[in-house]
Amino acid sequence: MSTPVKKVPIHLQSSQNRLLIKNGQVVNDDEIFEEDIYIEDGSVKQIGRNLIIPGGTRVIDARGKYVMPGGIDPHTHFEFEFMGATSVDDFYQGTKAAIAGGTTMIIDFVMPKNGESLLDAYANYRQKADSKVCCDYALHVIVTSWNNIIKEEMNTLCHQHGVNSFKMFMAYDMMMNDGDLYSVFEHCKNIGAVPMVHAENGHIIKKNVERLLNKGITGPEGHEMSRPEEVEAEAVNRACTIAQQVNSPLYIVHVMSKSAATTLKQYREKGTNIIGETLVCALACDGSQYRHQCFWHSAGHVLSPPLRPDPNTPQFLLNFLSQDVLQLTASDNCTFNKSQKEMGKENFSKIPNGVNGVEDRMSVIWEKGVHSGLIDPTRFVAITSSNAAKIFNLYPRKGCIAIGSDADIVIWNPSKTRVISAKTHHQAVDFNVFEGMECHGVPEYVIVNGRVCVDEEQLRAVQGYGHFIETPLYPPFIYNPEKVLDLKPGKESNGVNEVELANKLHRIEMEPKGCVTPTLPNSAVSTPCCKGARPEGQRNIQESTFSVSEELDVERKSCIKVRNPPGGKSSGFW
Ligand code: URP
Ligand code: ZN
Ligand code: ZN
């Protein structure tokens, strides 16, 4: 298997090569400032006022508009073979539509086919995508089982092919068990990769589907009934627990319900490094769609986890995004046409799961978040672009407007409006879950690696213009020792150094006279002291593992080398 050859960049003519964006409000995730931006050869070269620039440079006047990092959609499934169908937006139409909406980078998922190696699956995706993508892209890789071969393949993908994230399913046929999730999370931690999960309890869903079908519930309403929000929250809780035991970071994809988001919040409050992504469809739609009279309408909204019947869910998730309980938004764009959704006409569990969103994500979030007054433009940039760049180690090359950053920029006109419709969108799919929604805020110009690909709202995307972007290991935003994780060997969950702790306990066992309550590092655990009279006939279990001769030996020595303490060998003397 070899990585596809790197493409030679398409060179722009010198007049297209240089661009000055003047008079705009430049927005990063931490500041807004009014300065001009000079772009040359695909990257930001100067920022300031009265810049000295070469003659012939194109000038765009951004007065009254926001100049923001292009969106990064961290979760798409283009031409994805799934549930007996292939999603209709391929890497060309998908990335073209992304650009139309102000997104300048996507991250898709490599899904290995049955029996296919991770490396072959990755190579196939590169082959499919490289010649088609209109904007830059990266790849996560889906892991569906655990063994030494997978472990080695993960290493190779990380060290030789620019992958730094792996997704595991807790539902569907390819779901992994808890022990294997533990092993993959642990391995990700050991190599500095980001583990991601689709969190739903697949076993419960299977039983619920059987029960509902037996009762004659076959329509799309059965989809949500089979996967209620507790089933999502349970899996989020389990995944967080596993990550906590391993002390690994964890990225939860598509958090769709109040219960799941609340569970995630509780874990974040404990200091675990859990990242929460929610979907644009969850911020604008709810589960009432599954009760629509028209099958195609309901089926068109089927995705997993599903939209929730509680109508307050979108506002709840938006509030969590504004409070940084959730960190980022994706589309999970996985589009199936009406004819494909029809596969589930007699049985909801056969409706291919997935909806659109790659084109409309930015507009819908602007409308629901910024236009509504809940979040400011800097937070908008954080949740649509910068946080994805930080989590997948692309920042500040992506997700930021700074000297040296890639010129992936959207010039956003907050005064204009547009109405979303499948009739006018640029996606291949024949349905749109945001149909009829009016959005304030329009991407008037979208600059992709220095090229103006949306020009006064006219889409001029170029097939094959994008590149595969390697995502380096150990993203500082995730693996930040000062923030959450202590990566020193031996440091485990709750900051307890297990080897150290075990050694201390061992030392107590060796105390010849009474015992001492150990101080547990970073722990509120209190150990009952065994000082004082022991009832007759009751053995001190702490002493019971030692022979008398060993105990005598202890009394004679001023220090003891602990050769084989529980939890590992030690070379230290006590
Ligand atoms: O229903 C969905 N979300 N389809 C895409 C596959 C996945 O689970 O992300
Ligand atoms: Zn999923
Ligand atoms: Zn997905």
Side-chain angles (χ1 to χ4, degrees):
M1 207 271 334
S2 66
T3 302
V5 182
K6 259 206 158 67
K7 274 183 296 185
V8 180
I10 299 166
H11 286 291
L12 303 170
Q13 290 175 352
S14 59
S15 58
Q16 290 178 298
N17 226 5
R18 299 191 291 260
L19 188 63
L20 180 69
I21 304 171
K22 277 181 79 78
N23 305 320
Q25 297 278 322
V26 183
V27 188
N28 276 325
D29 70 340
D30 56 353
E31 58 176 344
I32 303 186
F33 53 93
E34 207 177 299
E35 278 175 4
D36 302 339
I37 297 164
Y38 175 63
I39 292 162
E40 196 178 291
D41 290 334
S43 57
V44 175
K45 291 285 190 294
Q46 298 182 56
I47 297 179
R49 292 295 179 94
N50 306 315
L51 300 175
I52 297 166
I53 53 158
T57 297
R58 178 172 176 191
V59 179
I60 295 178
D61 187 0
R63 194 176 298 277
K65 295 160 200 169
Y66 292 110
V67 181
M68 302 186 286
I72 300 173
D73 189 336
H75 187 158
T76 64
H77 300 277
F78 296 144
E79 46 193 295
F80 180 36
E81 291 172 39
F82 186 51
M83 297 182 73
T86 303
S87 62
V88 291
D89 281 301
D90 66 3
F91 280 95
Y92 169 59
Q93 283 205 260
T95 53
K96 189 171 80 165
I99 292 170
T103 288
T104 53
M105 180 171 180
I106 59 102
I107 315 184
D108 209 272
F109 289 84
V110 172
M111 176 68 176
K113 296 197 182 93
N114 243 346
E116 190 181 33
S117 77
L118 298 187
L119 294 172
D120 286 348
Y122 167 86
N124 287 337
Y125 265 74
R126 289 290 308 271
Q127 198 116 45
K128 280 199 282 193
D130 278 10
S131 59
K132 290 188 190 163
V133 285
C134 303
C135 64
D136 287 349
Y137 81 107
L139 290 169
H140 315 287
V141 174
I142 295 172
V143 171
T144 58
S145 58
W146 174 249
N147 56 47
N148 278 336
I149 297 169
I150 298 286
K151 185 176 172 181
E152 277 314 309
E153 286 190 323
M154 287 172 69
N155 293 345
T156 307
L157 286 166
C158 289
H159 294 119
Q160 294 174 30
H161 299 291
V163 170
N164 79 356
S165 47
F166 297 93
K167 181 168 90 168
M168 284 65 68
F169 283 96
M170 298 171 81
Y172 300 118
D173 291 344
M174 61 281 203
M175 68 187 173
M176 287 181 79
N177 67 40
D178 296 351
D180 287 348
L181 287 172
Y182 187 110
S183 301
V184 180
F185 291 4
E186 189 171 49
H187 189 54
C188 284
K189 175 187 156 182
N190 289 341
I191 59 178
V194 183
M196 308 166 84
V197 286
H198 170 131
E200 283 186 298
N201 185 318
H203 296 289
I204 296 180
I205 292 166
K206 204 162 173 243
K207 290 283 181 199
N208 284 346
V209 168
E210 276 168 27
R211 177 176 51 82
L212 290 160
L213 290 175
N214 284 338
K215 280 189 184 167
I217 299 169
T218 58
E221 67 280 7
H223 177 68
E224 198 284 331
M225 290 159 88
S226 67
R227 323 171 86 105
E229 62 179 80
E230 307 81 60
V231 169
E232 183 190 1
E234 183 281 327
V236 168
N237 185 64
R238 195 154 32 97
C240 291
T241 306
I242 296 169
Q244 189 190 32
Q245 297 309 301
V246 175
N247 200 18
S248 70
L250 179 63
Y251 180 117
I252 311 224
V253 300
H254 49 45
V255 175
M256 297 293 282
S257 63
K258 288 162 81 171
S259 317
T262 304
T263 305
L264 183 147
K265 181 173 190 264
Q266 284 159 1
Y267 273 89
R268 282 180 62 83
E269 282 166 357
K270 288 186 204 175
T272 53
N273 199 1
I274 310 289
I275 304 293
E277 167 205 278
T278 190
L279 301 186
V280 59
C281 64
L283 305 175
C285 310
D286 65 39
S288 60
Q289 307 294 346
Y290 300 129
R291 298 184 181 257
H292 198 276
Q293 283 176 326
C294 169
F295 168 82
W296 289 290
H297 182 96
S298 293
H301 288 83
V302 165
L303 82 157
S304 293
L307 299 167
R308 299 304 177 186
D310 181 341
N312 299 320
T313 307
Q315 194 55 49
F316 188 92
L317 295 174
L318 277 161
N319 289 342
F320 270 16
L321 277 168
S322 76
Q323 296 156 10
D324 199 38
V325 178
L326 296 168
Q327 286 66 47
L328 70 176
T329 55
S331 66
D332 194 5
N333 195 96
C334 184
T335 45
F336 298 102
N337 274 340
K338 286 178 179 164
S339 55
Q340 295 170 305
K341 292 273 183 183
E342 235 173 30
M343 290 163 57
K345 198 109 197 246
E346 312 299 330
N347 176 345
F348 64 82
S349 73
K350 298 210 178 328
I351 300 170
N353 288 191
V355 300
N356 64 292
V358 73
E359 181 166 351
D360 300 319
R361 183 180 65 115
M362 300 283 279
S363 289
V364 171
I365 294 168
W366 185 273
E367 179 68 19
K368 299 287 177 187
V370 185
H371 187 72
S372 74
L374 180 68
I375 61 172
D376 70 6
T378 60
R379 185 65 188 162
F380 174 81
V381 167
I383 63 176
T384 57
S385 180
S386 315
N387 284 350
K390 288 176 181 175
I391 291 162
F392 298 108
N393 216 353
L394 299 163
Y395 189 87
R397 175 180 174 185
K398 303 281 188 190
C400 181
I401 298 179
I403 292 172
S405 298
D406 286 357
D408 282 351
I409 290 174
V410 58
I411 302 179
W412 195 263
N413 187 339
S415 319
K416 280 197 174 161
T417 59
R418 73 183 183 98
V419 176
I420 298 175
S421 175
K423 291 193 188 77
T424 49
H425 71 202
H426 299 86
Q427 302 202 217
V429 68
D430 57 6
F431 186 77
N432 192 315
V433 293
F434 310 111
E435 186 71 35
M437 189 176 155
E438 184 182 55
C439 292
H440 297 78
V442 164
E444 223 165 66
Y445 298 89
V446 181
I447 295 138
V448 182
N449 273 315
R451 176 190 278 267
V452 183
C453 287
V454 173
D455 200 338
E456 295 180 15
E457 293 178 54
Q458 296 308 306
L459 181 57
R460 304 197 198 292
V462 179
Q463 177 157 358
Y465 182 64
H467 290 89
F468 176 74
I469 305 291
E470 298 196 347
T471 48
L473 292 168
Y474 288 107
F477 185 77
I478 298 283
Y479 285 95
N480 176 354
E482 273 161 36
K483 199 174 153 220
V484 179
L485 289 176
D486 191 333
L487 298 169
K488 278 185 226 124
K491 206 86 168 183
E492 301 301 338
S493 55
N494 294 328
V496 174
N497 185 321
E498 290 175 343
V499 175
E500 209 173 276
L501 172 58
N503 284 345
K504 280 193 189 227
L505 293 173
H506 199 71
R507 184 179 174 207
I508 297 160
E509 289 166 357
M510 294 188 175
E511 284 285 345
K513 297 177 197 118
C515 81
V516 177
T517 304
T519 330
L520 304 186
N522 292 341
S523 167
V525 179
S526 68
T527 305
C529 182
C530 59
K531 248 187 196 152
R534 219 174 23 251
E536 275 264 302
Q538 196 172 312
R539 297 172 72 215
N540 178 346
I541 52 162
Q542 293 195 325
E543 287 171 3
S544 66
T545 51
F546 287 89
S547 69
V548 174
S549 59
E550 272 177 323
E551 282 201 298
L552 289 174
D553 204 23
V554 167
E555 288 210 90
R556 277 199 302 272
K557 286 180 181 164
S558 59
C559 64
I560 302 159
K561 184 170 186 182
V562 182
R563 285 189 304 271
N564 249 339
K569 291 195 184 228
S570 163
S571 55
F573 283 87
W574 292 86

